[in-house]
Amino acid sequence: MDERWPHQVYGVGEDPDARFTLANERTMLAWIRTALALIAAGVLVDAVNLPIAEGPRRWLAAGLVLLGAITATGGWFRWARTERALRTGTPMPAPTLGAVIVGGLVVAAALVLAVILLR
């Protein structure tokens, strides 16, 4: 029995070529960096006295932090699904996280644009 965690990833199939596993890990770390940037942007929006009314500013900050949390979580699940596919020789999972991030950023940009234009 393989002692590595998570068991639902490492408990199936065979170890793939290490290059593929490491590439998958680097991709997950890129999602984590993106998540950290989104969370930092949310903290910045809340901490800096921007010329935005408090209500929209708080919603924007909370939305960015939430989008960062979703990105980090999604990056982890994407890593696990891809690693499992590599181990079992099944097709790679379809990308889904990008659409969520783009949608969230479009909403954030629309909120900022509305605030700028209505000021």
Side-chain angles (χ1 to χ4, degrees):
M1 178 76 178
D2 198 322
E3 297 296 322
R4 293 178 288 181
W5 183 87
H7 299 296
Q8 47 286 39
V9 171
Y10 293 113
V12 298
E14 299 177 3
D15 284 342
D17 186 323
R19 293 172 293 180
F20 299 125
T21 295
L22 293 172
N24 187 32
E25 184 177 323
R26 284 190 301 273
T27 301
M28 193 259 306
L29 292 172
W31 284 112
I32 297 300
R33 286 190 302 272
T34 301
L36 285 170
L38 289 166
I39 292 167
V43 170
L44 177 77
V45 166
D46 189 53
V48 175
N49 189 15
L50 299 172
I52 300 174
E54 185 172 345
R57 185 172 50 83
R58 292 277 172 144
W59 278 103
L60 178 60
L64 288 168
V65 170
L66 178 62
L67 190 58
I70 290 169
T71 301
T73 304
W76 166 263
F77 283 111
R78 171 82 177 160
W79 167 83
R81 289 178 22 228
T82 300
E83 188 66 25
R84 188 175 172 95
L86 287 170
R87 295 180 65 78
T88 59
T90 56
M92 293 293 113
T96 55
L97 190 55
V100 172
I101 294 172
V102 169
L105 290 175
V106 166
V107 169
L111 179 60
V112 170
L113 185 61
V115 168
I116 290 170
L117 292 175
L118 296 175
R119 198 164 34 125

